[in-house]
Amino acid sequence: MDDKAFLKKLGQNIQRVRKEKGVTQVELGHSCDSEKSSINRIETGRTNPTILTLRKIADGLNVTVDELLKF
C-alpha cells in the first residue's frame, strides 16, 4: 500500500469511528484542540497527522490509537 492509499484508509477509518460515536467534525476538533478543517483534511487523506494528533483524536473518540490504525 502506498502512502496516499494509507492516509486515505486511515482517514476513512477515523471518519467511520467518529460517525459510529455520533460525533461531528466540529466536536472532535474541539476535543482535540483542532479546527474542523484539520479534521476534514485528516479524514479525506489530504494530510499526514502526527502520532500526537492521532492520540488526541483517539482520546476525543474514547478509543485507542490502535483502533484507529486497524483497517
Side-chain angles (χ1 to χ4, degrees):
M1 178 181 320
D2 68 4
D3 293 349
K4 224 175 190 180
F6 179 85
L7 291 176
K8 186 135 179 100
K9 289 276 192 190
L10 173 62
Q12 289 170 342
N13 197 45
I14 290 170
Q15 183 180 54
R16 179 190 59 77
V17 172
R18 177 181 60 75
K19 287 183 175 182
E20 284 176 0
K21 301 277 186 172
V23 177
T24 67
Q25 286 183 342
V26 172
E27 292 168 336
L28 181 57
H30 285 303
S31 68
C32 298
D33 198 29
S34 296
E35 297 290 324
K36 175 195 176 287
S37 59
S38 296
I39 300 300
N40 183 269
R41 282 193 307 276
I42 292 168
E43 287 187 354
T44 56
R46 292 182 291 153
T47 191
N48 186 0
T50 67
I51 192 68
L52 295 176
T53 299
L54 286 178
R55 187 183 73 181
K56 288 179 183 179
I57 290 171
D59 288 347
L61 294 172
N62 294 315
V63 296
T64 63
V65 172
D66 226 23
E67 189 172 336
L68 296 181
L69 295 171
K70 288 182 184 173
F71 49 84

